[in-house]
Amino acid sequence: MQPLPERGALLSETNPEAVYDVAVLGGGPAGYTAAIRGAEYGLKVALIDASPKLGGTCLHVGCIPTKALLFNAELWDYLKDAEEYGLNFGEGAKLTLDWAAVQKRKSAIITKHVKGLEFLMKKHKIAVIPGYARLTGAIKDGVHTVDVDASGAKSQVKAKNVILATGSQAKLLPGLAADDRILTNIEILALEQVPKSLVVIGAGAVGVEFASIFRSFGTEVTILEFLPRLVPPEDGEISKELARVFRKRGIETNTGARVEKVEKTADGVKVSYTDASGKAQVKEAEKVLVAVGRAPQTEEMGIEKTRVELDRGFVKVNEWQETAEPGVYAIGDIVAGLPQLAHVGAMSGMVAMAKIAGRTFRPVRRDRIPNCTYTDPQIGSAGLTEAQAKEKGHEVKVGKFPFAGNSKATIVGSHDGFVKIVSDAKFGEILGVHIIGPQATELIAEAVAVMELEGTVEHLMFTIHAHPTLSEAMLDAYGAVEGMAINA
Ligand code: NAD
């Protein structure tokens, strides 16, 4: 075999016969994390993405811009109550929202991180190849060949291994197309003005996060969720508390609602639905957000020419992220049975790369994934819900502690919500942790680490948590499992 050029040089340019160790298809958080980890293992990596800017949905139209807007919303909500905190704007001065500046800040954050990724690719000497990639068929003599089409300029990349990381896109209801009134996560992030009214179809993470953001900015928000509760995968008590706080914030929540039709009116939209009691209802609004899930992007990429198996469009993999085609792995939103979360995508990429590099690793465990929903109030959860634990036959012991009893929660003016621990009665194994309230998305990290290390309720009851912090609510919740919370 001919010697390989330095990492970072485009092998296909310098030597068409050269072969990368790994070609990663897709530059979102799953793909770019895998690429960096591969380079850290000393592998020659190519990262192919159809977009000239790396980062995928997460960076451009997902996690990062949404959380930027949520931070604005949080600040705005605090400032609305400025006087309560002893802050005055002065005689006659009024707090106003400069939406264009909010959008500008959001875009600046994205640009900064795109540059950060470009820096990381250079630092790790990863060959970034712009273009749309397609598999050409099964592995031949230990090498895969990938066709790359960069706006008509065609080339081929050869690699011993291929990682598919092509992500997902928002599903729309039948007959609908996204535009300036019928919105998905993409269009809603680019609105030029805060809408007066918004109907949100679907109360998963996307739906409730945008409902929360736009309610903070004054929009009349109506949620229509097909299932009987908001954030259906969460513990039932979390859904109930979110609905209570959302209603308190003036968000109309309709669960058990079946959307029949979405039509455009002269200047807005009209959504017809059947409510939980079977009654036909109509809701008119300026905009409608369709947030009914995301479909995997696995079409038009040559999968049918390989042995890779699909399940309703999702790629089937084993615990090492390997598909049925030798040397082809799948990670991130396209994987069957994995939640579509950026951090799960990233970790599945690290698992795949470790397997390719022959290093030690542990597969992604579904029961140790932090689920974070960045609403007000925030939700952070991991492991089994109380109902799931009971279904699995555990004798369950639950501890619950309200943020109303936590001194830091009083200081930050955020008393809604609670921490709920689901444990196994026999040995105190922590089966699930469910938090709704201030900084829940940060607090859940402790729970995941403890579950990963197989800590017990007793360990946690004797783990010192700093005072005054929100994390003390965790300590009290562990105590509550034994009926011994200090502050409630
Ligand atoms: P989702 O699948 O999480 O939720 C969609 C919701 O829409 C479900 O509750 C479903 O019952 C409901 N629904 C489906 N069809 C409906 C209909 N016709 N009428 C009314 N309700 C209907 O999907 P999502 O919220 O679009 O999110 C997509 C993916 O992205 C998810 O995997 C989600 O976890 C992920 N995501 C995560 C975060 C986060 O972690 N903070 C943020 C955004 C997206």
Side-chain angles (χ1 to χ4, degrees), residues 67 173 201-207 209 224-227 229 231-233 257-259 290-294 333 339-341 343 371-374:
K67 271 82 242 179
L173 296 173
I201 304 178
V206 172
E209 286 183 359
L224 302 176
E225 164 59 47
F226 178 71
L227 291 173
R229 56 193 178 89
V231 285
R258 204 177 67 226
V259 173
V290 184
V292 297
R294 297 184 63 81
D333 283 7
Q340 293 172 307
L341 300 171
H343 44 284
N371 301 297
C372 293
T373 309
Y374 302 78

Side-chain angles (χ1 to χ4, degrees), residues 203 223-230 253-258 274-276:
I223 296 177
L224 302 176
E225 164 59 47
F226 178 71
L227 291 173
R229 56 193 178 89
L230 305 184
T253 62
N254 297 286
T255 51
R258 204 177 67 226
T274 308
D275 70 15

